[in-house]
Amino acid sequence: MKVSKKTVLNIAFILLVLSFFVTPIGYYGKIFLNRLFSFSPPVIEQSERQKITDYDWKLKDEEWNFFNFEKSKGRVILINLWASWKLPSEAELASIQELYDRYKGKMDFYIITNENQPPVEAFMAEHKFTFPVTYLIIGEKMPIDSETVPSSYLIDKSGNIVIYKEGIADWSTGKVYKLLDELIAE
């Protein structure tokens, strides 16, 4: 029995598709595809930017201590809402780590989750992420919408939302670096 080239290609294609559902190859393939199709986040036109006026917002740091968002007033801020169990969040966090490595100390990072501490710590260790994790306090008033995960906000020193991105973005791009350099220099 002779098998045609078309039959072999069809079988190979079916096996590839199946691997995305039942093997670790599929998991890493999905991460790769999410990263491949994430782009630099769009900047909001200056005339359309909304402003954060209330910085009185309570959060928890990595040691589970309470602090107030007020400490970031007058600074450039990146807020990223994520969940360790959401594959798109994992795909985005690598670019946020690169951004953090480049701009830590120059701006404030709030990489926020509403999860419990143990799974987050395990996730951070597994992926070797070093950016600070912030924990959301459910029911606390907030200046942003915390329901959409993943999503991100870039806020300038005056409190204007310069970028709002629902879903994932690539934060480690020349466009973002140029914008951050300008915002930090203001």
Side-chain angles (χ1 to χ4, degrees):
M1 178 174 164
K2 185 176 179 182
V3 180
S4 72
K5 184 177 180 181
K6 185 177 179 180
T7 302
V8 170
L9 288 175
N10 284 336
I11 291 171
F13 179 74
I14 289 169
L15 290 174
L16 179 67
V17 170
L18 282 175
S19 74
F20 266 78
F21 294 105
V22 295
T23 69
I25 293 171
Y27 177 80
Y28 294 111
K30 291 174 197 169
I31 297 271
F32 173 75
L33 290 174
N34 270 279
R35 286 183 183 153
L36 183 67
F37 291 108
S38 66
F39 303 103
S40 191
V43 177
I44 299 170
E45 291 294 325
Q46 210 154 13
S47 62
E48 297 177 18
R49 293 180 184 169
Q50 296 179 355
K51 188 172 190 146
I52 291 180
T53 56
D54 184 7
Y55 282 77
D56 185 21
W57 176 26
K58 292 182 189 143
L59 297 158
K60 290 181 193 173
D61 65 16
E62 289 178 300
E63 285 79 40
W64 220 243
N65 298 314
F66 292 95
F67 70 94
N68 196 301
F69 185 67
E70 184 84 28
K71 73 178 192 170
S72 291
K73 192 171 189 175
R75 294 190 44 89
V76 176
I77 306 163
L78 175 71
I79 298 172
N80 177 267
L81 300 162
W82 68 285
S84 65
W85 52 271
K86 285 198 166 191
L87 191 125
S89 288
E90 183 179 340
E92 179 178 45
L93 290 176
S95 71
I96 289 176
Q97 179 66 55
E98 291 173 18
L99 188 72
Y100 175 73
D101 291 342
R102 187 170 178 149
Y103 287 97
K104 66 182 166 193
K106 298 177 185 175
M107 60 182 281
D108 290 347
F109 290 84
Y110 292 91
I111 315 304
I112 302 173
T113 184
N114 65 359
E115 296 176 77
N116 290 322
Q117 206 172 13
V120 170
E121 288 175 348
F123 177 85
M124 295 291 287
E126 178 185 343
H127 297 286
K128 297 179 178 63
F129 292 139
T130 60
F131 51 77
V133 175
T134 306
Y135 294 90
L136 186 67
I137 301 171
I138 306 296
E140 179 68 26
K141 70 176 182 168
M142 307 171 65
I144 61 165
D145 172 23
S146 67
E147 298 297 317
T148 305
V149 175
S151 63
S152 301
Y153 298 81
L154 180 64
I155 302 165
D156 69 13
K157 292 178 180 179
S158 301
N160 298 304
I161 299 173
V162 178
I163 292 176
Y164 169 67
K165 176 65 174 138
E166 188 174 313
I168 68 172
D170 182 358
W171 291 93
S172 185
T173 66
K175 176 183 169 185
V176 172
Y177 295 158
K178 182 177 185 242
L179 175 63
L180 284 173
D181 290 340
E182 290 170 4
L183 293 175
I184 291 168
E186 286 181 350

